[in-house]
Short mmCIF file of all heavy atoms in Angstrom, two decimals:
data_model
loop_
_atom_site.label_atom_id
_atom_site.label_comp_id
_atom_site.label_asym_id
_atom_site.label_seq_id
_atom_site.Cartn_x
_atom_site.Cartn_y
_atom_site.Cartn_z
N PHE A 919 7.00 13.50 -1.80
CA PHE A 919 5.63 13.66 -1.32
C PHE A 919 4.64 13.23 -2.40
O PHE A 919 3.68 12.52 -2.13
CB PHE A 919 5.37 15.11 -0.90
CG PHE A 919 3.99 15.35 -0.37
CD1 PHE A 919 3.71 15.15 0.96
CD2 PHE A 919 2.97 15.77 -1.21
CE1 PHE A 919 2.43 15.36 1.46
CE2 PHE A 919 1.69 15.99 -0.73
CZ PHE A 919 1.42 15.78 0.61
N ASN A 920 4.88 13.66 -3.63
CA ASN A 920 3.98 13.31 -4.73
C ASN A 920 3.95 11.81 -5.00
O ASN A 920 2.91 11.28 -5.42
CB ASN A 920 4.34 14.09 -5.98
CG ASN A 920 3.98 15.55 -5.86
OD1 ASN A 920 3.06 15.91 -5.15
ND2 ASN A 920 4.74 16.40 -6.52
N LEU A 921 5.06 11.12 -4.75
CA LEU A 921 5.06 9.67 -4.90
C LEU A 921 4.17 9.01 -3.84
O LEU A 921 3.51 8.00 -4.11
CB LEU A 921 6.48 9.12 -4.79
CG LEU A 921 7.40 9.44 -5.97
CD1 LEU A 921 8.83 8.99 -5.65
CD2 LEU A 921 6.90 8.78 -7.24
N TYR A 922 4.16 9.58 -2.64
CA TYR A 922 3.32 9.05 -1.56
C TYR A 922 1.86 9.47 -1.73
O TYR A 922 0.99 8.93 -1.05
CB TYR A 922 3.83 9.53 -0.20
CG TYR A 922 5.03 8.79 0.30
CD1 TYR A 922 6.29 9.37 0.27
CD2 TYR A 922 4.92 7.51 0.83
CE1 TYR A 922 7.41 8.69 0.75
CE2 TYR A 922 6.02 6.83 1.31
CZ TYR A 922 7.26 7.42 1.26
OH TYR A 922 8.36 6.75 1.73
N ASP A 923 1.60 10.43 -2.60
CA ASP A 923 0.24 10.95 -2.83
C ASP A 923 -0.15 10.69 -4.29
O ASP A 923 -0.34 11.64 -5.06
CB ASP A 923 0.20 12.44 -2.50
CG ASP A 923 -1.17 13.07 -2.72
OD1 ASP A 923 -2.19 12.37 -2.59
OD2 ASP A 923 -1.21 14.28 -3.04
N PRO A 924 -0.30 9.43 -4.69
CA PRO A 924 -0.53 9.14 -6.10
C PRO A 924 -1.86 9.65 -6.64
O PRO A 924 -1.98 9.90 -7.84
CB PRO A 924 -0.47 7.61 -6.16
CG PRO A 924 -0.85 7.17 -4.79
CD PRO A 924 -0.30 8.24 -3.87
N ASP A 925 -2.86 9.85 -5.78
CA ASP A 925 -4.14 10.36 -6.26
C ASP A 925 -4.15 11.89 -6.31
O ASP A 925 -5.15 12.50 -6.68
CB ASP A 925 -5.31 9.84 -5.42
CG ASP A 925 -5.16 10.13 -3.93
OD1 ASP A 925 -4.16 10.76 -3.52
OD2 ASP A 925 -6.05 9.70 -3.18
N GLN A 926 -3.04 12.49 -5.91
CA GLN A 926 -2.82 13.93 -5.98
C GLN A 926 -3.91 14.74 -5.30
O GLN A 926 -4.38 15.76 -5.82
CB GLN A 926 -2.61 14.36 -7.43
CG GLN A 926 -1.44 13.63 -8.05
CD GLN A 926 -0.81 14.35 -9.20
OE1 GLN A 926 -1.39 15.28 -9.75
NE2 GLN A 926 0.37 13.94 -9.55
N THR A 927 -4.27 14.31 -4.10
CA THR A 927 -5.25 15.06 -3.31
C THR A 927 -4.59 16.19 -2.52
O THR A 927 -5.29 17.01 -1.93
CB THR A 927 -5.96 14.13 -2.31
OG1 THR A 927 -4.99 13.54 -1.45
CG2 THR A 927 -6.76 13.06 -3.02
N GLY A 928 -3.26 16.18 -2.48
CA GLY A 928 -2.55 17.19 -1.71
C GLY A 928 -2.29 16.76 -0.28
O GLY A 928 -1.72 17.51 0.50
N THR A 929 -2.72 15.54 0.04
CA THR A 929 -2.44 14.97 1.36
C THR A 929 -2.07 13.51 1.20
O THR A 929 -2.45 12.85 0.23
CB THR A 929 -3.66 15.06 2.31
OG1 THR A 929 -4.73 14.30 1.76
CG2 THR A 929 -4.07 16.49 2.56
N ILE A 930 -1.32 13.02 2.18
CA ILE A 930 -1.03 11.60 2.27
C ILE A 930 -1.90 11.07 3.40
O ILE A 930 -1.94 11.65 4.48
CB ILE A 930 0.46 11.37 2.60
CG1 ILE A 930 1.36 11.98 1.54
CG2 ILE A 930 0.74 9.87 2.76
CD1 ILE A 930 2.83 12.03 1.94
N ASP A 931 -2.60 9.97 3.12
CA ASP A 931 -3.43 9.38 4.17
C ASP A 931 -3.40 7.86 4.07
O ASP A 931 -2.70 7.30 3.22
CB ASP A 931 -4.86 9.92 4.13
CG ASP A 931 -5.56 9.64 2.82
OD1 ASP A 931 -5.28 8.61 2.18
OD2 ASP A 931 -6.43 10.44 2.46
N GLN A 932 -4.12 7.22 4.94
CA GLN A 932 -4.10 5.77 5.00
C GLN A 932 -4.53 5.14 3.68
O GLN A 932 -4.00 4.09 3.29
CB GLN A 932 -4.99 5.27 6.14
CG GLN A 932 -4.91 3.77 6.32
CD GLN A 932 -5.64 3.30 7.57
OE1 GLN A 932 -5.90 4.08 8.47
NE2 GLN A 932 -5.96 2.03 7.61
N SER A 933 -5.44 5.75 2.98
CA SER A 933 -5.90 5.16 1.71
C SER A 933 -4.77 5.11 0.69
O SER A 933 -4.74 4.22 -0.16
CB SER A 933 -7.10 5.93 1.15
OG SER A 933 -6.72 7.22 0.72
N ASP A 934 -3.83 6.04 0.75
CA ASP A 934 -2.68 6.00 -0.15
C ASP A 934 -1.81 4.77 0.15
O ASP A 934 -1.27 4.13 -0.75
CB ASP A 934 -1.84 7.27 -0.03
CG ASP A 934 -2.61 8.50 -0.52
OD1 ASP A 934 -3.27 8.41 -1.57
OD2 ASP A 934 -2.53 9.54 0.16
N TYR A 935 -1.70 4.43 1.42
CA TYR A 935 -0.94 3.24 1.81
C TYR A 935 -1.69 1.96 1.46
O TYR A 935 -1.08 0.97 1.07
CB TYR A 935 -0.57 3.31 3.29
CG TYR A 935 0.62 4.20 3.53
CD1 TYR A 935 0.53 5.58 3.42
CD2 TYR A 935 1.85 3.65 3.83
CE1 TYR A 935 1.63 6.40 3.61
CE2 TYR A 935 2.97 4.46 4.03
CZ TYR A 935 2.85 5.84 3.92
OH TYR A 935 3.94 6.63 4.09
N GLU A 936 -3.01 1.99 1.58
CA GLU A 936 -3.81 0.85 1.15
C GLU A 936 -3.65 0.63 -0.36
O GLU A 936 -3.52 -0.50 -0.82
CB GLU A 936 -5.30 1.07 1.48
CG GLU A 936 -5.62 1.07 2.94
CD GLU A 936 -5.65 -0.31 3.57
OE1 GLU A 936 -5.40 -1.33 2.89
OE2 GLU A 936 -5.92 -0.36 4.79
N ARG A 937 -3.65 1.73 -1.11
CA ARG A 937 -3.47 1.68 -2.55
C ARG A 937 -2.10 1.09 -2.90
O ARG A 937 -1.96 0.28 -3.81
CB ARG A 937 -3.63 3.08 -3.15
CG ARG A 937 -3.75 3.10 -4.65
CD ARG A 937 -4.08 4.51 -5.16
NE ARG A 937 -5.41 4.93 -4.69
CZ ARG A 937 -5.63 5.88 -3.78
NH1 ARG A 937 -4.64 6.53 -3.23
NH2 ARG A 937 -6.85 6.20 -3.42
N ARG A 938 -1.08 1.49 -2.15
CA ARG A 938 0.26 0.95 -2.37
C ARG A 938 0.27 -0.56 -2.12
O ARG A 938 0.89 -1.31 -2.87
CB ARG A 938 1.28 1.63 -1.47
CG ARG A 938 2.68 1.09 -1.69
CD ARG A 938 3.73 1.75 -0.84
NE ARG A 938 3.69 3.18 -1.03
CZ ARG A 938 3.93 4.04 -0.04
NH1 ARG A 938 4.22 3.62 1.17
NH2 ARG A 938 3.90 5.33 -0.27
N THR A 939 -0.42 -0.99 -1.08
CA THR A 939 -0.50 -2.42 -0.80
C THR A 939 -1.12 -3.17 -1.98
O THR A 939 -0.58 -4.19 -2.43
CB THR A 939 -1.35 -2.69 0.47
OG1 THR A 939 -0.74 -2.04 1.58
CG2 THR A 939 -1.49 -4.18 0.74
N GLN A 940 -2.24 -2.67 -2.49
CA GLN A 940 -2.91 -3.30 -3.61
C GLN A 940 -2.01 -3.36 -4.84
O GLN A 940 -1.92 -4.40 -5.52
CB GLN A 940 -4.20 -2.55 -3.96
CG GLN A 940 -5.29 -2.67 -2.92
CD GLN A 940 -5.77 -4.10 -2.75
OE1 GLN A 940 -5.87 -4.85 -3.70
NE2 GLN A 940 -6.07 -4.47 -1.52
N TYR A 941 -1.34 -2.26 -5.13
CA TYR A 941 -0.46 -2.19 -6.30
C TYR A 941 0.68 -3.20 -6.19
O TYR A 941 0.93 -3.97 -7.13
CB TYR A 941 0.09 -0.76 -6.44
CG TYR A 941 1.10 -0.63 -7.55
CD1 TYR A 941 0.68 -0.45 -8.86
CD2 TYR A 941 2.46 -0.69 -7.29
CE1 TYR A 941 1.60 -0.34 -9.89
CE2 TYR A 941 3.39 -0.59 -8.31
CZ TYR A 941 2.96 -0.41 -9.60
OH TYR A 941 3.87 -0.31 -10.62
N LEU A 942 1.37 -3.20 -5.06
CA LEU A 942 2.50 -4.11 -4.89
C LEU A 942 2.05 -5.56 -4.88
O LEU A 942 2.71 -6.43 -5.47
CB LEU A 942 3.27 -3.77 -3.62
CG LEU A 942 4.06 -2.48 -3.65
CD1 LEU A 942 4.65 -2.17 -2.28
CD2 LEU A 942 5.17 -2.55 -4.70
N ALA A 943 0.95 -5.85 -4.21
CA ALA A 943 0.45 -7.22 -4.17
C ALA A 943 0.11 -7.72 -5.56
O ALA A 943 0.45 -8.84 -5.94
CB ALA A 943 -0.76 -7.31 -3.25
N GLU A 944 -0.55 -6.88 -6.33
CA GLU A 944 -0.93 -7.25 -7.69
C GLU A 944 0.30 -7.54 -8.53
O GLU A 944 0.37 -8.54 -9.25
CB GLU A 944 -1.75 -6.13 -8.32
CG GLU A 944 -2.21 -6.42 -9.72
CD GLU A 944 -3.03 -5.28 -10.29
OE1 GLU A 944 -3.95 -4.81 -9.60
OE2 GLU A 944 -2.73 -4.87 -11.43
N HIS A 945 1.29 -6.67 -8.43
CA HIS A 945 2.49 -6.84 -9.25
C HIS A 945 3.39 -7.97 -8.78
O HIS A 945 4.20 -8.47 -9.55
CB HIS A 945 3.25 -5.52 -9.34
CG HIS A 945 2.63 -4.59 -10.32
ND1 HIS A 945 1.50 -3.86 -10.01
CD2 HIS A 945 2.92 -4.32 -11.60
CE1 HIS A 945 1.14 -3.16 -11.07
NE2 HIS A 945 1.98 -3.42 -12.05
N ARG A 946 3.22 -8.40 -7.56
CA ARG A 946 3.98 -9.55 -7.05
C ARG A 946 3.20 -10.85 -7.15
O ARG A 946 3.71 -11.91 -6.82
CB ARG A 946 4.38 -9.30 -5.59
CG ARG A 946 5.38 -8.17 -5.46
CD ARG A 946 5.74 -7.91 -4.03
NE ARG A 946 6.66 -6.78 -3.95
CZ ARG A 946 7.14 -6.30 -2.81
NH1 ARG A 946 6.82 -6.86 -1.67
NH2 ARG A 946 7.96 -5.29 -2.83
N GLY A 947 1.96 -10.75 -7.59
CA GLY A 947 1.14 -11.93 -7.76
C GLY A 947 0.57 -12.48 -6.46
O GLY A 947 0.20 -13.65 -6.39
N TYR A 948 0.43 -11.62 -5.45
CA TYR A 948 -0.14 -12.06 -4.17
C TYR A 948 -1.65 -11.96 -4.24
O TYR A 948 -2.19 -10.92 -4.59
CB TYR A 948 0.35 -11.18 -3.02
CG TYR A 948 1.84 -11.17 -2.77
CD1 TYR A 948 2.40 -10.18 -2.00
CD2 TYR A 948 2.69 -12.12 -3.31
CE1 TYR A 948 3.77 -10.14 -1.74
CE2 TYR A 948 4.06 -12.10 -3.07
CZ TYR A 948 4.59 -11.11 -2.29
OH TYR A 948 5.93 -11.07 -2.04
N GLU A 949 -2.31 -13.01 -3.85
CA GLU A 949 -3.77 -13.00 -3.81
C GLU A 949 -4.24 -12.33 -2.54
O GLU A 949 -3.65 -12.50 -1.47
CB GLU A 949 -4.30 -14.42 -3.89
CG GLU A 949 -3.89 -15.10 -5.17
CD GLU A 949 -5.00 -15.88 -5.79
OE1 GLU A 949 -6.14 -15.79 -5.32
OE2 GLU A 949 -4.70 -16.57 -6.76
N ASP A 950 -5.33 -11.58 -2.65
CA ASP A 950 -5.92 -10.91 -1.48
C ASP A 950 -6.22 -11.96 -0.41
O ASP A 950 -6.87 -12.97 -0.69
CB ASP A 950 -7.20 -10.19 -1.90
CG ASP A 950 -7.72 -9.25 -0.84
OD1 ASP A 950 -7.06 -9.08 0.20
OD2 ASP A 950 -8.81 -8.68 -1.04
N GLY A 951 -5.72 -11.74 0.79
CA GLY A 951 -5.95 -12.66 1.89
C GLY A 951 -4.88 -13.72 2.05
O GLY A 951 -4.88 -14.44 3.05
N SER A 952 -3.98 -13.85 1.08
CA SER A 952 -2.92 -14.85 1.19
C SER A 952 -1.92 -14.42 2.27
O SER A 952 -1.86 -13.23 2.63
CB SER A 952 -2.19 -15.00 -0.15
OG SER A 952 -1.42 -13.83 -0.43
N PRO A 953 -1.13 -15.36 2.79
CA PRO A 953 -0.15 -14.98 3.80
C PRO A 953 0.83 -13.91 3.30
O PRO A 953 1.19 -13.00 4.05
CB PRO A 953 0.58 -16.30 4.10
CG PRO A 953 -0.40 -17.36 3.75
CD PRO A 953 -1.19 -16.80 2.60
N GLU A 954 1.22 -13.99 2.03
CA GLU A 954 2.13 -13.00 1.47
C GLU A 954 1.48 -11.61 1.44
O GLU A 954 2.11 -10.61 1.77
CB GLU A 954 2.57 -13.40 0.05
CG GLU A 954 3.37 -14.66 -0.02
CD GLU A 954 2.51 -15.92 -0.12
OE1 GLU A 954 1.27 -15.83 -0.14
OE2 GLU A 954 3.11 -17.01 -0.17
N TYR A 955 0.22 -11.59 1.02
CA TYR A 955 -0.52 -10.33 0.97
C TYR A 955 -0.67 -9.74 2.37
O TYR A 955 -0.42 -8.55 2.58
CB TYR A 955 -1.91 -10.55 0.35
CG TYR A 955 -2.76 -9.31 0.37
CD1 TYR A 955 -2.73 -8.42 -0.69
CD2 TYR A 955 -3.59 -9.01 1.45
CE1 TYR A 955 -3.50 -7.27 -0.68
CE2 TYR A 955 -4.35 -7.87 1.47
CZ TYR A 955 -4.31 -7.00 0.41
OH TYR A 955 -5.05 -5.85 0.43
N LEU A 956 -1.05 -10.56 3.33
CA LEU A 956 -1.26 -10.07 4.70
C LEU A 956 0.04 -9.56 5.31
O LEU A 956 0.05 -8.55 6.01
CB LEU A 956 -1.88 -11.16 5.56
CG LEU A 956 -3.29 -11.59 5.14
CD1 LEU A 956 -3.76 -12.78 5.96
CD2 LEU A 956 -4.27 -10.43 5.25
N ASN A 957 1.16 -10.24 5.03
CA ASN A 957 2.46 -9.79 5.52
C ASN A 957 2.83 -8.45 4.91
O ASN A 957 3.28 -7.53 5.61
CB ASN A 957 3.51 -10.85 5.21
CG ASN A 957 4.86 -10.50 5.78
OD1 ASN A 957 5.46 -9.49 5.41
ND2 ASN A 957 5.36 -11.34 6.67
N LEU A 958 2.64 -8.32 3.59
CA LEU A 958 2.93 -7.07 2.90
C LEU A 958 2.07 -5.94 3.47
O LEU A 958 2.57 -4.86 3.78
CB LEU A 958 2.66 -7.22 1.41
CG LEU A 958 2.82 -5.98 0.55
CD1 LEU A 958 4.28 -5.54 0.51
CD2 LEU A 958 2.30 -6.23 -0.86
N ARG A 959 0.78 -6.19 3.64
CA ARG A 959 -0.13 -5.17 4.16
C ARG A 959 0.28 -4.75 5.56
O ARG A 959 0.29 -3.56 5.88
CB ARG A 959 -1.57 -5.66 4.16
CG ARG A 959 -2.54 -4.57 4.60
CD ARG A 959 -3.98 -5.04 4.60
NE ARG A 959 -4.86 -3.93 4.89
CZ ARG A 959 -5.03 -3.40 6.11
NH1 ARG A 959 -4.36 -3.87 7.15
NH2 ARG A 959 -5.84 -2.38 6.29
N GLN A 960 0.63 -5.71 6.39
CA GLN A 960 1.04 -5.40 7.75
C GLN A 960 2.26 -4.48 7.75
O GLN A 960 2.31 -3.50 8.50
CB GLN A 960 1.34 -6.68 8.52
CG GLN A 960 1.80 -6.43 9.94
CD GLN A 960 2.16 -7.72 10.67
OE1 GLN A 960 2.40 -8.75 10.05
NE2 GLN A 960 2.19 -7.65 11.97
N ARG A 961 3.25 -4.76 6.91
CA ARG A 961 4.45 -3.93 6.87
C ARG A 961 4.15 -2.52 6.35
O ARG A 961 4.64 -1.53 6.89
CB ARG A 961 5.52 -4.59 6.01
CG ARG A 961 6.14 -5.81 6.70
CD ARG A 961 7.24 -6.42 5.87
NE ARG A 961 6.63 -6.87 4.62
CZ ARG A 961 7.28 -6.97 3.47
NH1 ARG A 961 8.54 -6.68 3.39
NH2 ARG A 961 6.67 -7.38 2.38
N ILE A 962 3.34 -2.43 5.32
CA ILE A 962 3.01 -1.12 4.75
C ILE A 962 2.18 -0.30 5.72
O ILE A 962 2.40 0.90 5.89
CB ILE A 962 2.33 -1.28 3.38
CG1 ILE A 962 3.36 -1.79 2.36
CG2 ILE A 962 1.71 0.04 2.92
CD1 ILE A 962 2.81 -2.12 1.00
N MET A 963 1.22 -0.93 6.38
CA MET A 963 0.38 -0.18 7.32
C MET A 963 1.18 0.24 8.56
O MET A 963 0.90 1.28 9.15
CB MET A 963 -0.86 -0.98 7.69
CG MET A 963 -1.78 -1.24 6.49
SD MET A 963 -2.03 0.17 5.37
CE MET A 963 -2.95 1.25 6.43
N LYS A 964 2.17 -0.55 8.93
CA LYS A 964 3.05 -0.14 10.03
C LYS A 964 3.81 1.12 9.62
O LYS A 964 3.98 2.04 10.43
CB LYS A 964 4.02 -1.25 10.39
CG LYS A 964 4.88 -0.92 11.58
CD LYS A 964 5.76 -2.08 11.98
CE LYS A 964 6.58 -1.70 13.20
NZ LYS A 964 7.44 -2.80 13.63
N ASP A 965 4.24 1.18 8.36
CA ASP A 965 4.89 2.40 7.86
C ASP A 965 3.95 3.60 7.98
O ASP A 965 4.36 4.68 8.39
CB ASP A 965 5.32 2.25 6.40
CG ASP A 965 6.50 1.33 6.22
OD1 ASP A 965 7.19 1.00 7.22
OD2 ASP A 965 6.76 0.94 5.06
N TRP A 966 2.67 3.40 7.61
CA TRP A 966 1.69 4.49 7.72
C TRP A 966 1.55 4.94 9.18
O TRP A 966 1.55 6.13 9.47
CB TRP A 966 0.33 4.09 7.17
CG TRP A 966 -0.74 5.01 7.64
CD1 TRP A 966 -1.75 4.73 8.50
CD2 TRP A 966 -0.87 6.41 7.34
NE1 TRP A 966 -2.50 5.86 8.75
CE2 TRP A 966 -1.98 6.91 8.04
CE3 TRP A 966 -0.15 7.29 6.54
CZ2 TRP A 966 -2.39 8.24 7.97
CZ3 TRP A 966 -0.57 8.62 6.47
CH2 TRP A 966 -1.67 9.08 7.17
#
């Protein structure tokens, strides 16, 4: 649960999944809006 709640608000919400998208995209070198970024975001938001 704490891994899914990195800002430690005591809840998991969509912003935590958005944050995960940003983190993974940055570390994979995906530019915001690129096909790779959009694919990653789509998969993560589907998980949410």
